Amino acid sequence: MTIDQEIRKYPFSEAPGIDIDPVYGLLRSTEPLARVQLPYGEVSWLATRYEDVKTVLTDPRFSRAAAQGKDQPRTREEMTYEGIIGLDPPDHTRLRKLAGKALTARRVNEMREGAQRIANEYVDEMIAKGSPGDLVELFALPYPITVICELLGVPFEDRAQFRIWTEGLTSTSEQLMVYAEQLFGYMGKLVAQRREQPTDDLLGALVKARDEGDRLTEQELLSIAGVGLLLTGVETVSTHIPNFVYALLTNPELMAQLRADRSLVPAAVEELLRMIPLNPAAMFPRYAVEDIELSGITVRAGEPVLVSLPGANRDPEIFDNPETFDFTREQNPHVAFGHGPHHCLGAQLARMELQVALHTVLDRFPELSLADGDAGVSWKSGQLVRGPNKLLVAW
Amino acid sequence: MTTVDTRWTVTVDRDACIGTGVCAGAAPRQIEIRAGKASALAPETAPDEAVIDAADMCPMSAITVRDAASGALLAPEE
Ligand code: HEM
Ligand code: HEM
Ligand code: HEM
Ligand code: SF4
């Protein structure tokens, strides 16, 4: 019976560096559906097995829409408008289809050259400034911001300001409110311009969709374009670039393997995604709309379930030697981008940007090292995504 | 076009598919994920906007929907 189960405080410990708390592995084998209490909200289930995680993410009896209005398990007190991630099909489909158009594999591939050019420009500047340098400030942050600016159609002259807001959005809450407001205002202005003069960029396409047939509300439009794509599109990639480079610098055999065979880069990106969680803690609980059994335990209708993607990504039922980096896996069905209807909308863009970033680092820094050992690396703390906010490298 | 017996064909290019599960979320009555990749539950279906959505949402453009009689391409949008 569920009542006997210990209720664990969640998130678990902040494991150092790019590691994850070993308790996920323990739970996966002994308590696949754990009871957890987050800082706010009701007690929740936490699924750590690959199969259970996929079931929760795909079975329509687990709902994101049903979570709205509930005392959702969460890490912050306030609850905000959730946009696309708070909907189920078919409402979800309507929003997703529009935003997804800009981010198809074909569109993303067309952007690859542009991304490479942008990456080279920032590395040129970095090299001009001289070794050592902070890879985060000089490369990992400005590069994805500029890629998203091109995608959205932010004019070149506004990019410096745009960068201040974007970086600010991931800082402290007080500053965040100010920046969020300014950014929303600015995006509103760009939208108004596109009403006057239609454009081909992503924002133009969204405005067109909004104005023809009223398929998007104004709030949806701003939330997809302004905060949704921006925050998620920038913070995710800019966090994983230093995570990945750190993993390569601290595992020299992996770095050497990639330098020796550059065709491994796409597989390396997948393996790094599998092993290094962007956010070690689970979020966006799904609510059961009927009683459903998972790993022999009945989740009752109305109960929330969180899924641990890092737990699933190291499930020995699915992955051989799950705790080891292996760039030559034949199959790598990791769930770092989620699964099912909410599968990361930006996955193809993120993959492309990360591949380009790794190629650029390998090309332009034939002898890269940590400039000051671990003393030159500092880690984001108390933030949602985990990764270095400073990575001092020498070349 | 008569609506009564119009049928659509739904095909998945399993080489292109990367198994996101997005399509099965949008069109659960027509598409499922089998062995990690999308698969049409039946070669033909009655017209249903959900399969058009699924084809349009696939990031790899791996799903094709055609009119069974004429072979005309219905989705994805080009
Ligand atoms: C991609 C990886 C993502 C990570 C690592 C991440 C991380 C987080 C975390 C840890 C929180 C705090 C959780 C809480 O308060 O319960 C949060 C809040 C939030 N996230 Fe995400 N997130 C991601 C993607 C997204 C996406 C794609 C969206 C929407 C499109 C989104 C929308 C939100 C919203 C609206 C909140 C505020 C929730 C609230 O206050 O109730 N996030 N994010
Ligand atoms: C409208 C749709 C919104 C979306 C899609 C969204 C999305 C997100 C995402 C993806 C994150 C994670 C960022 C990261 O990992 O650094 C986040 C964090 C956060 N969001 Fe939002 N957000 C939205 C609205 C808001 C609003 C209106 C507020 C405030 C009133 C807000 C406050 C926060 C805060 C405080 C964080 C945590 C930042 C941190 O501690 O690093 N969000 N949001
Ligand atoms: C390495 C980078 C990234 C990782 C690991 C990642 C991971 C994820 C995950 C796990 C989810 C599903 C959340 C859930 O189902 O609870 C998600 C959703 C999402 N991601 Fe990402 N993401 C990344 C980059 C991006 C980028 C670059 C963008 C935008 C350009 C983006 C936009 C979104 C959006 C809009 C959703 C919500 C989709 C929906 O609800 O239908 N992500 N991401
Ligand atoms: S949406 Fe496309 S890539 Fe994803 S599972 Fe369906 S067919 Fe495969």
Side-chain angles (χ1 to χ4, degrees), chain A residues 308-365:
Chain A
S308 171
L309 302 178
N313 279 338
R314 293 173 185 226
D315 189 335
E317 294 285 319
I318 306 294
F319 302 98
D320 295 335
N321 299 318
E323 306 287 339
T324 311
F325 283 106
D326 179 357
F327 294 167
T328 62
R329 287 179 193 278
E330 295 210 344
Q331 303 277 333
N332 194 348
H334 68 74
V335 287
F337 289 116
H339 189 69
H342 294 281
H343 178 275
C344 180
L345 192 59
Q348 296 313 102
L349 179 65
R351 287 187 159 109
M352 183 274 281
E353 288 183 76
L354 290 166
Q355 289 169 10
V356 167
L358 282 195
H359 275 303
T360 307
V361 166
L362 294 169
D363 276 339
R364 305 292 305 277
F365 300 111

Side-chain angles (χ1 to χ4, degrees), chain A residues 141-337:
Chain A
L141 259 173
Y143 156 67
I145 291 176
T146 310
V147 172
I148 293 272
C149 279
E150 288 214 347
L151 185 76
L152 282 175
V154 174
F156 190 79
E157 60 274 18
D158 293 343
R159 284 188 189 165
Q161 181 56 52
F162 205 76
R163 189 174 155 191
I164 293 173
W165 288 326
T166 320
E167 291 179 18
L169 280 184
T170 55
S171 65
T172 60
S173 305
E174 241 171 89
Q175 191 59 273
L176 185 134
M177 294 297 286
V178 178
Y179 285 145
E181 219 163 279
Q182 290 175 345
L183 181 64
F184 264 76
Y186 176 77
M187 296 305 288
K189 214 176 72 197
L190 286 187
V191 166
Q193 282 169 3
R194 277 153 184 76
R195 290 236 160 77
E196 302 266 306
Q197 218 154 21
T199 55
D200 281 341
D201 50 54
L202 171 61
L203 205 52
L206 290 173
V207 169
K208 197 155 158 265
R210 152 99 178 99
D211 291 349
E212 285 172 8
D214 206 13
R215 289 194 289 173
L216 285 175
T217 67
E218 196 78 17
Q219 192 185 24
E220 284 170 343
L221 196 157
L222 283 176
S223 119
I224 296 178
V227 194
L229 288 180
L230 202 77
L231 244 186
T232 50
V234 171
E235 184 65 4
T236 47
V237 173
S238 71
T239 301
H240 256 354
I241 291 171
N243 272 335
F244 287 12
V245 172
Y246 178 82
L248 294 176
L249 290 174
T250 51
N251 292 277
E253 71 293 350
L254 295 177
M255 180 73 99
Q257 189 186 16
L258 269 195
R259 287 199 187 278
D261 183 359
R262 294 284 291 277
S263 71
L264 288 176
V265 164
V269 165
E270 299 308 310
E271 181 66 352
L272 290 158
L273 283 163
R274 183 184 73 82
M275 283 287 282
I276 309 175
L278 192 56
N279 167 21
M283 59 180 299
F284 301 128
R286 270 68 173 173
Y287 275 75
V289 295
E290 294 172 22
D291 291 2
I292 309 171
E293 198 170 295
L294 288 176
S295 280
I297 291 177
T298 303
V299 175
R300 302 270 170 219
E303 290 182 342
V305 184
L306 287 158
V307 298
S308 171
L309 302 178
N313 279 338
R314 293 173 185 226
D315 189 335
E317 294 285 319
I318 306 294
F319 302 98
D320 295 335
N321 299 318
E323 306 287 339
T324 311
F325 283 106
D326 179 357
F327 294 167
T328 62
R329 287 179 193 278
E330 295 210 344
Q331 303 277 333
N332 194 348
H334 68 74
V335 287
F337 289 116

Side-chain angles (χ1 to χ4, degrees), chain A residues 54 58 60 89 92-94 96-97 100-101 103-106 338-343 348 351, chain B residues 18-22 24-26 28 33 36 49 52-54 56-61 77-78:
Chain A
K54 275 204 162 172
T58 48
H92 173 259
T93 307
R94 182 180 59 104
R96 169 101 191 187
K97 234 176 109 162
K101 268 192 193 138
L103 296 169
T104 59
R106 186 170 51 82
H339 189 69
H342 294 281
H343 178 275
Q348 296 313 102
R351 287 187 159 109
Chain B
I18 54 170
T20 63
V22 170
I33 303 296
E49 199 59 31
I52 302 281
D53 287 342
D56 282 339
M57 285 160 87
C58 171
M60 310 308 291
S61 302
E77 261 172 38
E78 252 323 303

